[in-house]
Amino acid sequence: MALTALICDDSLLARNQMKKSLPGAFDAEIVTATNGLEALNVLRSQEIGVVFLDLTMPELDGVGVLEAIKAEKMDVFVIVVSADIQPEMQKRVMDLGALAFIHKPVNTDKLSAVMRQYGLI
Amino acid sequence: MTDLSFTEEQRDCLQELINVAMGLASDKLARFLNTFVHLQVPAIGLVSAAEIPEQFRGQYQGLNSSMISLGFFGDGGLRGETILLYQLDNAGKIAALLGYDDDATSEAEMLTDISSILTTTFLNGLADQLENSFSYAAPRIISSRDSDFISKLEQTAFHWQLALKVDIRYELTDYSFDCNMILLIPGEAVLKLKTILDHVLAEF
């Protein structure tokens, strides 16, 4: 069965950019969330293989999502896709269990490199 | 009259481009000050330039505030002027972090440096995403401690049609620094910007 991937970003443009940038070899069903709370609802209600997670969002930010994933021991790969590129922020999300950190704006090259590294494509 | 208003898709697109540009500016500020900047979603608003002085009167009038203006010129007629507004008390804290002396000469120097970090980095990041490149006029400090702030803002805003307000709060580890950035854009550049945003939207 194909994997389900969750794209979580408050911007429609960013969600569309993400969808369009996914490598063709990535065989997954895509679901979306527009903030951290929505993302957690999705994660709690269905099997998600990988999350592409924005950090700066209303309601609940990406760090909050990572904290919940860790606390609830959810089995999911998280790839952070963020405009907040400060080294301290990168360290923080990696310490919280994110698999990789991609600087916005996202593109297929950046995504492919990371996804190949972790065997997602 | 030309329609300068933005569609919801154009607004969302611009918001995201601004978020990415802000991320670059915050990263630079964080490295410069050797601290961490807590980024929030900046609120953006598009208004008629004529409304700008009134909108900021309440927030800045009577306070020691400063405005730094920076003209930018891009390809294809995309141009405008940014104004960075903030209270000098806030700037003083940053000045201390940066090691500037507390005198008038270095104040001008410091304000120019902060403007360069916050505004130029931001605009370069925005230009990159718009597949454009901006060149800049020398920054002007158009108001300081004792001048009539709102009338200065009126004189500047008078030349432009549209204002893109970006309300920014830079929260550093030890304190917060509020400032407002205003991008003043002439009508024909607004049309150019809308065309570019549509182009970006069509790609995705």
Side-chain angles (χ1 to χ4, degrees), chain A residues 9-14 16-17 20-21 56-58 61 83-89 92 104-105, chain B residues 9 12-13 16-17 19-20 23-24 26-27 30-31 35-37 39-41 129 200-201 203-204:
Chain A
D9 199 303
D10 55 318
S11 159
L12 174 66
L13 175 77
N16 288 344
Q17 268 178 335
K20 270 280 178 82
S21 304
T56 312
M57 289 184 292
D61 65 16
D84 189 349
I85 55 172
Q86 298 173 73
E88 193 173 326
M89 181 55 95
R92 209 160 135 199
K104 277 187 177 178
Chain B
E9 285 78 16
D12 171 85
C13 182
E16 178 63 9
L17 302 184
N19 288 352
V20 171
L24 294 170
S26 299
D27 182 52
R31 288 168 195 265
T35 184
F36 179 73
V37 182
L39 256 188
Q40 292 170 336
V41 181
Q129 297 178 85
V200 173
L201 284 163
E203 278 179 52
F204 297 105

Side-chain angles (χ1 to χ4, degrees), chain B residues 15 21 31 74 96 104 112 125 134 136 156 172 190 192 196 201 203:
Chain B
Q15 171 90 53
R31 288 168 195 265
T112 310
F134 294 161
Y136 302 100
T156 303
L172 277 54
V190 175
K192 173 72 184 169
I196 296 173
L201 284 163
E203 278 179 52

